Amino acid sequence: SWTDKIDVANTLHQSGFMLVGYDNLAANTPAPAQAAAAQLTIESGATLTDQGEAYIGDSLDSSGNVTVTTGGLWNLANTTSIVSNGTTVATNVNAGALYVGFAGSGNLSVSNGGSVAVGNLGTFYGSGTTFTAGGIEIGDSASATGTLTVSGAGSQVSTLDGMQIGRIGQGLLNIINGGTVLINGGGIGIGQTAGASGTIDVGGAGAAAALNFAAAAAGITVGSSAAGAVTVSSSGAITMNGTGGI
């Protein structure tokens, strides 16, 4: 297991975060062809903790694939220590953000008992500056495409600050064959900005799949400014336990 720690004393480089798919050669002339998508796998009961944020398909003309499987955990929500020259100086309490397709192409697959936990709005420290972020965004920018698939018994994604699917780009959330997504805070926005599109598919062949909202969560907004769709098929269910609706 591994923890990406934030070091506030490092004013030259941001720390405590993960990039899976970042093209820093696109400005070269001639621009080199992309060799393949960047890959990250968390499996066999291992835990990866990122104190800050994580980007899959971070830059334009980049692509990234993350697989969390067989009991692996990607933790962007835990209370963790922030260090300065090796000494703990502060803590992140339930802070974390996950972007699946930030400006490029991002794919996150959670399967076979894997899990991803994402925190709520928090303050992150890096490169001598601070910024705030939280929750999950799928298809964040106009150039972005993002897909999150949760499949298999015990496979789970949870967020304390909601989810945006197709914020400005193209986003897809698939919950199938025993997978579960828990919205413990915030709500879900689908198709947030003109030109975007967002889709949620719950269910289909296989074991029961679920999208569950906790009592503290809001509801689902579909197509507020762009195309949005929600499909619940056989074996799928959406449970609203809070005050929000669709």
Side-chain angles (χ1 to χ4, degrees):
S1 297
W2 181 264
T3 297
D4 289 324
K5 292 186 176 182
I6 295 172
D7 187 347
V8 296
N10 187 345
T11 59
L12 297 177
H13 302 95
Q14 190 172 323
S15 56
F17 72 105
M18 176 65 66
L19 295 181
V20 184
Y22 179 77
D23 183 2
N24 62 349
L25 301 177
N28 290 1
T29 303
Q34 187 180 116
Q39 306 281 340
L40 169 65
T41 301
I42 307 166
E43 61 184 352
S44 302
T47 297
L48 171 62
T49 298
D50 287 295
Q51 290 189 332
E53 73 282 16
Y55 301 85
I56 307 172
D58 177 64
S59 62
L60 189 68
D61 193 34
S62 71
S63 59
N65 296 324
V66 175
T67 301
V68 185
T69 188
T70 56
L73 168 63
W74 196 4
N75 182 16
L76 295 103
N78 199 25
T79 300
T80 48
S81 298
I82 299 172
V83 299
S84 176
N85 293 324
T87 301
T88 298
V89 295
T91 58
N92 270 2
V93 180
N94 291 329
L98 173 61
Y99 300 89
V100 184
F102 183 71
S105 173
N107 182 73
L108 171 58
S109 175
V110 183
S111 63
N112 298 322
S115 57
V116 177
V118 180
N120 59 8
L121 192 67
T123 300
F124 306 120
Y125 302 80
S127 305
T129 62
T130 62
F131 62 98
T132 57
I136 300 172
E137 296 190 5
I138 306 172
D140 184 71
S141 304
S143 57
T145 59
T147 301
L148 169 55
T149 301
V150 188
S151 174
S155 301
Q156 178 178 291
V157 172
S158 63
T159 171
L160 284 165
D161 196 35
M163 186 179 297
Q164 296 187 71
I165 304 167
R167 191 181 80 88
I168 302 177
Q170 317 303 307
L172 172 62
L173 171 62
N174 283 318
I175 311 170
I176 57 176
N177 193 25
T180 300
V181 171
L182 302 175
I183 308 298
N184 291 315
I188 294 180
I190 307 170
Q192 296 291 91
T193 307
S197 69
T199 302
I200 295 178
D201 290 328
V202 186
L211 171 58
N212 295 329
F213 289 75
I220 303 175
T221 301
V222 183
S224 62
S225 299
V230 177
T231 301
V232 182
S233 305
S234 59
S235 81
I238 298 177
T239 303
M240 315 292 289
N241 294 309
T243 58
I246 298 177

